[in-house]
Amino acid sequence: MDRQQQAAEARRVAADLAAQDVRNIALTWVDNAGVTRVKTVPVDRLERAAEWGVGMSPVFDVFCVDDSITTSRHAGGPVGDLRLHPDLSRVTALAAQPGWAWAPVDRYTQEGVPYPGCQRLFARAATEQAREAGLELRMAYEFEWFAGTLDATPSTTGPAYGMTRLVELSGYADAVLAALAAQRVPVEQFHPEYAAGQWELSVAPADPVTAADRAVLVRQTIRAVSATFGLQVSFAPVVVAGQVGNGGHLHLSAWTGEQNLFTGGGGPHGVTAEGESILAALLHRLPALLAIGAPSPASYLRLVPRHWAGPYQCWGRENREAGLRLVTGSEGERDTAANAELKCFDGAANPYLLAGAVTTVAAATRDAGLTLPPEVTVDPADLPEPDQPPRLPTSLPEAVAALRADDILPPAMGDLLLEAFCAVREAEQAIFADASPADVAAATRWRY
Ligand code: GLU
Ligand code: MG
């Protein structure tokens, strides 16, 4: 980190923000519980923040979803300090929060060394390593959310995907899209989803760190717009136990130069040999990835058959009950459109950790020559039980055990990050051990 260069750039950015009447900057990071936390500085302190970082206790690595604090082998307790360094290239004036801008941070030690528990630096390192091996990942999270009142009454009464819903909340929908457009977020689609009061928005793919940054920016923007309409929003895996939940599906494609590895080859539906190897590895490791992508006890209330949540460890072209849905795109656009959707993930995930983990697996397995098992072309729940593909873990402890047993992810994460992450999982499992599904939903509903 070149402190002087950072300071010079921050002066330029701060002047630009001041000219837009921005007075304060929200500096966010996402903790291991999947909660976005924040410190803020006035615009005229951005220069100092960029040069020296903003102080923050490392204890946040072991914060749980209910703000209780656990400990891990390396993290916990009141002692220590980390420096939050804003990524100046991401500073964005917030359209729905007049006077405010936002930037994500990387976490460094007071000695200016990258902090090994920093999830964003983990995603950055994974992206860099893949790039050095000639592999580029392009990713986009999909956002599903519930908008309603604090007692979980939905904001609309119209039918699923209904135009009625859009009419009822036309101004709200337009305000969400206008705010994102003002912040230069490339929205691709927006619609009312299936569950009562549920909406969905998708954005264009980007490199893994950008995709994760966008996940934070998009969600907080939706939250801010919703607040101005008196609406409470939830990106939690389940809002009401027993109903269809909110997914946080991750779309990805893998590229070598101009070649999308998920099309134009001789494998199933045209995937290349390298693309197939990546997909086979991701499918094989979905149980381990699930600990990161579906990290809450609430995640396992969502991840059940016939909810389009992808609860099976199988793949299929356009199969929305498969953990891995292959999207080929239409004939003529496949070179850019082909991608894979990891459907089992949800909005409790730390988007940096998940993007970094998927990138790590892809880079480690592109050249491994792995092949996909047979495709599942039906709803797995319709098959006679002996013919059904395996279910993904049905509980958080099962997924955590798979993560710990994995041979790629733990060494890539490193001990500090892995142990802090798993400590939070284990603590949250204990917090909700005796809770009913309704209680789990109520306790996590407004946390993500
Ligand atoms: N809401 C579903 C989920 O929990 C996804 C519905 C869809 O296919 O978009 O993942
Ligand atoms: Mg959806």
Side-chain angles (χ1 to χ4, degrees):
M1 179 191 357
D2 181 334
R3 294 192 194 276
Q4 273 172 10
Q5 205 182 326
Q6 287 295 309
E9 175 63 6
R11 273 196 299 279
R12 199 191 59 71
V13 172
D16 190 47
L17 289 174
Q20 298 176 64
D21 285 334
V22 171
R23 290 172 291 280
N24 318 288
I25 307 187
L27 307 176
T28 64
W29 73 99
V30 185
D31 70 11
N32 284 322
V35 174
T36 300
R37 314 252 180 203
V38 68
K39 281 212 163 179
T40 81
V41 293
V43 163
D44 63 9
R45 292 283 287 183
L46 181 64
E47 181 180 339
R48 186 179 158 82
E51 194 172 0
W52 298 105
V54 172
M56 195 267 294
S57 164
V59 79
F60 285 97
D61 283 346
V62 284
F63 258 54
C64 299
V65 65
D66 65 348
D67 294 341
S68 63
I69 300 172
T70 185
T71 52
S72 80
R73 195 136 41 87
H74 310 277
V79 181
D81 189 55
L82 292 171
R83 312 305 299 175
L84 307 178
H85 283 267
D87 184 335
L88 296 171
S89 69
R90 293 290 150 88
V91 172
T92 305
L94 294 174
Q97 289 174 259
W100 286 92
W102 161 86
V105 302
D106 291 320
R107 298 188 294 156
Y108 285 78
T109 68
Q110 287 179 323
E111 286 67 45
V113 175
Y115 174 58
C118 178
Q119 300 87 347
R120 191 169 187 268
L121 288 175
F122 168 70
R124 255 188 208 267
T127 305
E128 210 35 60
Q129 269 164 25
R131 206 168 271 158
E132 275 162 23
L135 180 68
E136 297 233 17
L137 276 293
R138 296 176 61 71
M139 296 183 174
Y141 287 100
E142 258 178 41
F143 308 97
E144 291 184 340
W145 75 96
F146 167 88
T149 57
L150 256 186
D151 62 357
T153 304
S155 51
T156 55
T157 52
Y161 287 80
M163 183 62 189
T164 303
R165 289 193 192 174
L166 191 59
V167 173
E168 284 178 347
L169 280 184
S170 190
Y172 168 67
D174 182 51
V176 166
L177 296 169
L180 292 170
Q183 293 168 189
R184 294 182 305 281
V185 174
V187 172
E188 293 201 331
Q189 245 194 71
F190 169 80
H191 62 264
E193 247 289 351
Y194 184 84
Q198 193 181 37
W199 301 87
E200 172 171 333
L201 186 135
S202 47
V203 298
D207 68 86
V209 178
T210 302
D213 283 341
R214 256 180 212 163
V216 173
L217 179 61
V218 167
R219 284 169 57 156
Q220 301 314 323
T221 301
I222 291 170
R223 195 182 304 284
V225 172
S226 302
T228 66
F229 282 78
L231 295 173
Q232 193 79 17
V233 292
S234 173
F235 295 90
V238 285
V239 177
V240 179
Q243 294 187 6
V244 166
N246 290 322
H249 312 162
L250 177 58
H251 287 262
L252 74 139
S253 55
W255 297 71
T256 298
E258 297 296 297
Q259 166 73 48
N260 178 350
L261 300 179
F262 295 163
T263 190
H269 301 293
V271 301
T272 66
E274 290 172 323
E276 183 172 2
S277 192
I278 290 170
L279 293 175
L282 289 171
L283 180 60
H284 177 65
R285 280 165 215 281
L286 271 190
L289 287 165
L290 208 60
I292 299 172
S296 165
S299 301
Y300 298 84
L301 300 176
R302 163 183 169 264
L303 209 54
V304 293
R306 299 204 197 277
H307 283 57
W308 289 28
Y312 294 94
Q313 191 179 10
C314 67
W315 75 279
R317 179 180 176 210
E318 299 295 2
N319 190 337
R320 291 177 172 81
E321 283 285 338
L324 195 165
R325 167 187 170 210
L326 182 66
V327 181
T328 59
S330 301
E331 231 174 277
E333 60 155 8
R334 292 194 172 144
D335 50 340
T336 52
N339 72 88
E341 180 184 33
L342 301 176
K343 219 162 182 287
C344 43
F345 301 148
D346 64 51
N350 179 313
Y352 299 100
L353 260 188
L354 184 55
V358 167
T359 302
T360 299
V361 169
T365 58
R366 177 192 56 182
D367 302 324
L370 304 172
T371 53
L372 281 164
E375 177 178 7
V376 173
T377 56
V378 296
D379 182 347
D382 286 341
L383 293 169
E385 224 169 287
D387 300 338
Q388 288 181 5
R391 278 285 297 275
L392 286 166
T394 55
S395 73
L396 182 56
E398 238 185 284
V400 173
L403 173 62
R404 284 193 178 281
D406 193 70
D407 58 343
I408 293 178
L409 292 168
M413 290 170 78
D415 225 29
L416 190 151
L417 180 55
L418 178 78
E419 290 305 327
F421 179 78
C422 288
V424 174
R425 308 281 70 73
E426 283 147 17
E428 291 190 1
Q429 182 61 28
I431 290 166
F432 295 114
D434 299 320
S436 67
D439 289 343
V440 174
T444 53
R445 182 182 295 143
W446 305 122
R447 308 299 288 181
Y448 303 107

Coordinates of all heavy atoms in Angstrom, one line a residue, residues 12-54:
R12 N -8.7 13.9 -4.2 CA -9.4 14.1 -5.4 C -10.8 13.6 -5.3 O -11.8 14.4 -5.6 CB -8.7 13.4 -6.6 CG -9.0 13.8 -8.0 CD -8.5 12.8 -9.0 NE -9.0 11.5 -8.8 CZ -10.3 11.1 -9.1 NH1 -11.2 12.0 -9.5 NH2 -10.7 9.8 -8.9
V13 N -11.0 12.5 -4.7 CA -12.3 11.9 -4.5 C -13.2 12.7 -3.6 O -14.3 13.0 -3.8 CB -12.2 10.4 -4.0 CG1 -13.6 9.9 -3.6 CG2 -11.6 9.5 -5.0
A14 N -12.5 13.2 -2.5 CA -13.3 14.0 -1.5 C -13.8 15.3 -2.1 O -14.9 15.7 -1.8 CB -12.4 14.3 -0.3
A15 N -12.9 15.9 -2.9 CA -13.4 17.2 -3.6 C -14.6 16.9 -4.5 O -15.5 17.7 -4.5 CB -12.2 17.8 -4.4
D16 N -14.5 15.8 -5.2 CA -15.6 15.5 -6.1 C -16.9 15.2 -5.3 O -17.9 15.7 -5.7 CB -15.1 14.2 -6.8 CG -16.0 13.8 -8.0 OD1 -16.4 14.7 -8.7 OD2 -16.4 12.6 -8.0
L17 N -16.8 14.5 -4.2 CA -17.9 14.3 -3.4 C -18.5 15.5 -2.8 O -19.7 15.8 -2.8 CB -17.6 13.3 -2.2 CG -17.3 11.9 -2.6 CD1 -16.8 11.1 -1.4 CD2 -18.5 11.2 -3.3
A18 N -17.6 16.4 -2.3 CA -18.1 17.7 -1.7 C -18.9 18.5 -2.7 O -19.9 19.1 -2.4 CB -16.9 18.5 -1.1
A19 N -18.4 18.4 -4.0 CA -19.1 19.1 -5.0 C -20.5 18.6 -5.3 O -21.4 19.2 -5.8 CB -18.3 19.1 -6.3
Q20 N -20.7 17.3 -4.9 CA -22.0 16.7 -5.0 C -22.8 16.8 -3.7 O -23.8 16.0 -3.5 CB -21.9 15.2 -5.4 CG -21.2 15.0 -6.7 CD -21.0 13.5 -6.9 OE1 -22.0 12.7 -7.0 NE2 -19.8 13.0 -7.0
D21 N -22.4 17.6 -2.8 CA -23.1 17.8 -1.5 C -23.0 16.6 -0.6 O -23.9 16.3 0.2 CB -24.5 18.2 -1.7 CG -24.6 19.7 -2.1 OD1 -23.7 20.4 -1.7 OD2 -25.6 20.1 -2.7
V22 N -22.0 15.7 -0.8 CA -21.8 14.6 0.0 C -21.0 15.0 1.2 O -20.0 15.6 1.1 CB -21.1 13.4 -0.7 CG1 -20.7 12.3 0.3 CG2 -22.0 12.9 -1.8
R23 N -21.5 14.7 2.4 CA -20.8 15.2 3.6 C -20.1 14.0 4.4 O -19.2 14.2 5.2 CB -21.8 15.9 4.5 CG -22.2 17.3 4.0 CD -23.3 17.9 4.8 NE -24.6 17.2 4.6 CZ -25.4 17.3 3.6 NH1 -25.1 18.1 2.6 NH2 -26.5 16.6 3.5
N24 N -20.6 12.8 4.2 CA -20.1 11.7 5.0 C -20.0 10.4 4.2 O -20.7 10.3 3.2 CB -21.2 11.3 6.1 CG -21.7 12.6 6.8 OD1 -21.1 13.2 7.5 ND2 -23.0 12.9 6.4
I25 N -19.1 9.5 4.6 CA -18.9 8.3 3.8 C -19.1 7.1 4.8 O -18.4 7.0 5.8 CB -17.5 8.3 3.2 CG1 -17.2 9.5 2.4 CG2 -17.3 7.0 2.3 CD1 -15.9 9.5 1.7
A26 N -19.9 6.2 4.3 CA -20.1 4.9 5.0 C -19.1 3.9 4.5 O -19.0 3.7 3.3 CB -21.5 4.4 4.8
L27 N -18.3 3.4 5.4 CA -17.3 2.4 5.1 C -17.7 1.0 5.6 O -17.8 0.8 6.8 CB -15.9 2.8 5.7 CG -15.5 4.2 5.4 CD1 -14.2 4.5 6.2 CD2 -15.3 4.4 3.9
T28 N -18.0 0.1 4.7 CA -18.6 -1.1 5.1 C -17.7 -2.3 4.9 O -16.9 -2.3 4.0 CB -19.9 -1.4 4.3 OG1 -19.6 -1.6 2.9 CG2 -21.0 -0.3 4.5
W29 N -17.9 -3.3 5.8 CA -17.3 -4.6 5.6 C -18.4 -5.6 5.9 O -19.4 -5.3 6.6 CB -16.1 -4.8 6.4 CG -16.3 -5.0 7.8 CD1 -16.3 -6.2 8.5 CD2 -16.5 -3.9 8.8 NE1 -16.5 -5.9 9.9 CE2 -16.6 -4.6 10.1 CE3 -16.5 -2.5 8.7 CZ2 -16.8 -3.8 11.2 CZ3 -16.7 -1.8 9.9 CH2 -16.9 -2.5 11.1
V30 N -18.3 -6.8 5.5 CA -19.3 -7.9 5.8 C -18.6 -8.9 6.7 O -17.5 -9.3 6.4 CB -19.8 -8.5 4.5 CG1 -20.9 -9.5 4.9 CG2 -20.4 -7.5 3.6
D31 N -19.2 -9.1 7.9 CA -18.5 -10.0 8.8 C -18.8 -11.5 8.5 O -19.5 -11.8 7.6 CB -18.9 -9.6 10.3 CG -20.3 -9.9 10.6 OD1 -21.0 -10.6 9.8 OD2 -20.8 -9.4 11.6
N32 N -18.3 -12.3 9.4 CA -18.5 -13.8 9.1 C -19.9 -14.2 9.4 O -20.2 -15.3 9.0 CB -17.5 -14.6 10.0 CG -16.1 -14.5 9.4 OD1 -15.9 -14.5 8.2 ND2 -15.1 -14.4 10.3
A33 N -20.7 -13.4 10.0 CA -22.1 -13.7 10.2 C -22.9 -13.4 8.9 O -24.1 -13.7 8.9 CB -22.7 -13.1 11.4
G34 N -22.3 -12.7 8.0 CA -23.0 -12.2 6.8 C -23.7 -10.9 7.0 O -24.5 -10.5 6.2
V35 N -23.3 -10.2 8.1 CA -23.9 -8.9 8.4 C -23.0 -7.8 7.9 O -21.8 -7.9 8.2 CB -24.2 -8.8 9.9 CG1 -24.7 -7.4 10.3 CG2 -25.2 -9.9 10.4
T36 N -23.6 -6.8 7.2 CA -22.8 -5.7 6.8 C -22.7 -4.7 7.9 O -23.7 -4.2 8.5 CB -23.5 -5.0 5.6 OG1 -23.6 -6.0 4.5 CG2 -22.7 -3.8 5.1
R37 N -21.4 -4.4 8.3 CA -21.2 -3.5 9.5 C -20.6 -2.3 8.9 O -20.0 -2.3 7.8 CB -20.3 -4.2 10.5 CG -20.8 -5.6 10.9 CD -21.4 -5.7 12.3 NE -21.8 -7.1 12.5 CZ -22.7 -7.5 13.4 NH1 -23.4 -6.6 14.1 NH2 -23.0 -8.7 13.6
V38 N -20.6 -1.2 9.7 CA -20.2 0.1 9.1 C -19.4 1.0 10.1 O -19.7 0.9 11.3 CB -21.4 0.8 8.6 CG1 -22.3 1.3 9.7 CG2 -21.0 2.0 7.7
K39 N -18.5 1.7 9.6 CA -18.0 2.9 10.3 C -18.1 4.1 9.3 O -18.0 3.8 8.1 CB -16.6 2.7 10.8 CG -16.5 1.9 12.1 CD -15.3 2.3 12.9 CE -15.4 1.8 14.3 NZ -14.2 2.2 15.1
T40 N -18.2 5.3 9.8 CA -18.3 6.4 8.9 C -17.4 7.5 9.2 O -16.9 7.6 10.4 CB -19.8 7.0 8.8 OG1 -19.9 7.9 9.9 CG2 -20.8 5.9 8.9
V41 N -17.0 8.2 8.2 CA -16.1 9.4 8.4 C -16.7 10.6 7.6 O -17.3 10.4 6.5 CB -14.7 9.2 8.0 CG1 -14.0 8.2 8.8 CG2 -14.6 8.8 6.5
P42 N -16.5 11.8 8.1 CA -16.8 13.0 7.3 C -16.0 13.0 6.0 O -14.8 12.5 6.1 CB -16.5 14.2 8.2 CG -16.3 13.6 9.6 CD -15.9 12.2 9.4
V43 N -16.5 13.6 5.0 CA -15.7 13.6 3.7 C -14.3 14.2 3.9 O -13.4 13.7 3.3 CB -16.5 14.4 2.7 CG1 -15.6 14.8 1.5 CG2 -17.7 13.6 2.1
D44 N -14.2 15.2 4.8 CA -12.9 15.8 4.9 C -11.9 15.0 5.7 O -10.7 15.3 5.9 CB -12.9 17.3 5.5 CG -13.5 17.3 6.9 OD1 -13.7 16.2 7.5 OD2 -13.8 18.4 7.4
R45 N -12.4 13.8 6.2 CA -11.5 12.9 6.8 C -11.1 11.7 5.9 O -10.5 10.7 6.3 CB -12.1 12.3 8.1 CG -12.2 13.4 9.2 CD -10.8 13.7 9.9 NE -10.4 12.6 10.8 CZ -9.3 12.6 11.5 NH1 -8.5 13.6 11.5 NH2 -9.0 11.5 12.3
L46 N -11.7 11.7 4.7 CA -11.4 10.6 3.8 C -9.9 10.4 3.5 O -9.4 9.3 3.4 CB -12.2 10.8 2.5 CG -12.0 9.6 1.5 CD1 -12.6 8.3 2.0 CD2 -12.7 9.9 0.1
E47 N -9.2 11.5 3.4 CA -7.8 11.5 3.1 C -7.1 10.7 4.2 O -6.3 9.8 3.9 CB -7.2 12.9 3.0 CG -5.7 12.9 2.6 CD -5.2 14.3 2.5 OE1 -6.0 15.2 2.3 OE2 -4.0 14.4 2.6
R48 N -7.4 11.0 5.4 CA -6.7 10.3 6.5 C -7.1 8.9 6.5 O -6.3 8.0 6.8 CB -7.0 11.0 7.9 CG -6.2 10.4 9.0 CD -6.4 10.9 10.3 NE -6.0 9.9 11.3 CZ -4.8 9.7 11.7 NH1 -3.8 10.4 11.2 NH2 -4.4 8.7 12.5
A49 N -8.4 8.6 6.3 CA -8.8 7.2 6.3 C -8.1 6.4 5.2 O -7.8 5.2 5.4 CB -10.3 7.2 6.1
A50 N -7.9 7.0 4.0 CA -7.3 6.3 2.9 C -5.8 6.1 3.3 O -5.2 5.0 2.9 CB -7.4 7.1 1.7
E51 N -5.2 7.0 4.0 CA -3.8 6.9 4.2 C -3.5 5.9 5.4 O -2.6 5.1 5.3 CB -3.2 8.3 4.6 CG -1.7 8.4 4.6 CD -1.2 9.8 4.7 OE1 -2.0 10.7 4.9 OE2 0.0 10.0 4.7
W52 N -4.3 6.1 6.5 CA -4.0 5.3 7.7 C -5.0 4.3 8.1 O -4.9 3.6 9.0 CB -3.7 6.3 8.9 CG -2.5 7.2 8.6 CD1 -2.6 8.5 8.2 CD2 -1.2 6.8 8.5 NE1 -1.3 9.0 8.0 CE2 -0.4 7.9 8.2 CE3 -0.5 5.6 8.8 CZ2 1.0 7.9 8.0 CZ3 0.9 5.6 8.7 CH2 1.6 6.7 8.3
G53 N -6.1 4.3 7.4 CA -7.2 3.4 7.8 C -8.0 4.0 8.9 O -7.6 4.9 9.6
V54 N -9.2 3.4 9.2 CA -10.1 3.7 10.3 C -10.0 2.5 11.2 O -10.1 1.4 10.8 CB -11.5 3.9 9.8 CG1 -12.5 4.1 11.0 CG2 -11.6 5.1 8.9

